[in-house]
Amino acid sequence: MQTLAQTLKQQATSDSLTQLIFTLAETSKAISKAVRHGALAGLLGATEQENVQGETQKKLDIITNDMLKGALKGDNSVHGLASEEEDDVVAVNQGGEYLVCFDPLDGSSNIDINSLVGTIFSVLPAVEGELTEQSFLQSGRNQVAAGYVLYGPSTMLALTTGHGVQLYTLHPETDEFLLTDANMSIPKDTAEFAINMSNQRFWEAPMQTYIADLLLGKIGPREKAFNMRWIAAMVGDVHRVLSRGGIFTYPTDNKNPLKPYKLRLMYEANPMALLVEQAGGKASTGYENILDIDPQEIHQRVAVILGSANEVDTCLSYHDIDYSEEPSL
Ligand code: F6P
Ligand code: MN
């Protein structure tokens, strides 16, 4: 089986990007070990601290953030970093070519129940001048690499550098990422959806109507029985979509009018959108392609609808309807 190094070489990846991908991959191996030790190392549970988004930080959120920050600071290809667990962007090396945005441990509420968690990352080109938040505010189309590492029954790395999506599995004995799927491809059609149904009453009309039609199954307008899956970690849900298709959404809701969206653009939506597009799927907010968003702030949140191309298109068609009209009798 081909190694990560061999695949990157075959794709003619530059030395500096290869170096950065290795920094991320090597750190993820250490994170995988830490996650696996769990309760044995006293790593489960929450801390007293909150991150900038007002979420209580788990011990492993902080540990994994420090691991990635430390490793990226030691990599001279990195100009700056931004993390879900850092209030502000962090300057790293003056001459570095890349900016790295990451969610060190996505789905961290799954840690305490020994369920799926993962690291999500996005690599952008550095811009001239002093590093500021503005340096990071580039469209997702600018990403030179994006991926995630899933810490599950096996540890897997899904990666794109713009040549499709490659999936690697970490060999437990040799500790090497080996290529187990050279070209992940999302089927165009699906009968599986992922959404947090407990928020149903808070969604906008298009999502209410779309999901209601899915739930009607064969007797509804879709004339098809749909199944539902919800892992409660985006990284796990997106991995399923990349592996066998499906639609995943965390839509706009009015549960808290000050926070209409859940997922973060720069280190959740953008990297996942690039992976999904590179695997033949689609990713939208309902009104705009995620990769076309012009970011306004580093911790910005967005609505996300992604997955099998035809199903995303169907969901988007519900967003074109004017729901303010009275239904005709
Ligand atoms: O990072 C945010 C996140 O943990 C995602 O990974 C996941 O999709 C979502 O929140 C789960 O939120 P909930 O199940 O609480 O709606
Ligand atoms: Mn997350």
Side-chain angles (χ1 to χ4, degrees):
M1 260 178 239
Q2 208 163 288
T3 62
L4 176 61
Q6 286 165 338
T7 313
L8 291 176
K9 192 162 179 212
Q10 206 175 55
Q11 292 175 346
T13 313
S14 71
D15 289 347
S16 57
L17 187 56
T18 300
Q19 177 182 315
L20 172 52
I21 289 169
F22 264 86
T23 300
L24 293 165
E26 290 304 309
T27 314
S28 76
K29 291 178 188 174
I31 294 176
S32 172
K33 287 203 180 79
V35 168
R36 223 179 309 140
H37 278 86
L40 296 173
L43 295 180
L44 306 190
T47 65
E48 307 268 281
Q49 298 170 49
E50 281 189 351
N51 64 16
V52 70
Q53 354 239 340
E55 296 160 342
T56 306
Q57 289 176 306
K58 300 277 180 183
K59 287 184 200 163
L60 274 169
D61 284 326
I62 295 176
I63 293 167
T64 54
N65 184 59
D66 289 347
M67 288 166 87
L68 279 161
K69 195 163 80 166
L72 291 169
K73 279 186 168 175
D75 184 332
N76 62 12
S77 75
V78 183
H79 186 54
L81 62 88
S83 161
E84 178 178 327
E85 307 302 339
E86 297 284 334
D87 295 5
D88 303 312
V89 304
V90 179
V92 179
N93 295 303
Q94 271 286 317
E97 280 177 59
Y98 303 109
L99 304 175
V100 186
C101 302
F102 59 89
D103 178 353
L105 204 60
D106 178 58
S108 54
S109 63
N110 274 357
I111 293 168
D112 296 343
I113 58 162
N114 200 26
S115 192
L116 289 181
V117 287
T119 299
I120 309 173
F121 58 88
S122 158
V123 183
L124 291 161
V127 291
E128 294 274 305
E130 198 197 331
L131 186 102
T132 63
E133 178 172 348
Q134 191 61 38
S135 322
F136 287 81
L137 303 181
Q138 309 179 35
S139 123
R141 296 247 172 250
N142 279 11
Q143 292 173 103
V144 293
Y148 61 79
V149 181
L150 183 69
Y151 311 110
S154 53
T155 294
M156 293 183 135
L157 163 68
L159 176 69
T160 183
T161 57
H163 304 273
V165 179
Q166 287 74 46
L167 183 67
Y168 303 84
T169 303
L170 184 63
H171 193 294
E173 274 85 43
T174 64
D175 216 24
E176 183 117 49
F177 277 114
L178 298 176
L179 186 66
T180 43
D181 189 343
N183 192 16
M184 292 188 97
S185 169
I186 302 176
K188 299 263 174 276
D189 294 296
T190 184
E192 201 162 62
F193 69 99
I195 191 165
N196 184 339
M197 283 297 297
S198 70
N199 293 327
Q200 183 172 22
R201 64 194 179 284
F202 302 114
W203 302 331
E204 293 179 327
M207 194 52 78
Q208 294 272 1
T209 316
Y210 168 69
I211 296 290
D213 285 353
L214 297 189
L215 295 176
L216 284 170
K218 287 195 175 150
I219 60 160
R222 301 298 306 277
E223 299 177 348
K224 182 162 142 183
F226 279 79
N227 195 10
M228 198 193 87
R229 286 285 183 274
W230 182 250
I231 291 174
M234 183 195 201
V235 70
D237 282 307
V238 172
H239 183 68
R240 185 187 58 257
V241 166
L242 280 163
S243 302
R244 68 177 189 208
I247 182 164
F248 163 84
T249 174
Y250 215 112
T252 310
D253 67 48
N254 63 8
K255 196 172 172 178
N256 172 356
L258 297 175
K259 208 181 93 178
Y261 319 116
K262 172 107 185 188
L263 300 173
R264 274 58 55 110
L265 175 63
M266 301 303 292
Y267 39 81
E268 293 181 320
N270 267 346
M272 293 312 203
L274 187 63
L275 287 164
V276 164
E277 281 203 4
Q278 284 286 318
K282 291 193 173 179
S284 169
T285 63
Y287 303 98
E288 184 179 13
N289 190 314
I290 287 182
L291 294 176
D292 292 330
I293 296 173
D294 186 12
Q296 301 302 306
E297 51 183 333
I298 197 73
H299 296 294
Q300 177 174 342
R301 295 173 188 261
V302 282
V304 171
I305 303 168
L306 61 76
S308 293
N310 291 343
E311 194 55 41
V312 171
D313 281 343
T314 303
C315 181
L316 295 186
S317 69
Y318 284 73
H319 290 73
D320 294 335
I321 300 166
D322 181 359
Y323 292 83
S324 61
E325 302 261 309
E326 286 292 314
S328 53
L329 297 173

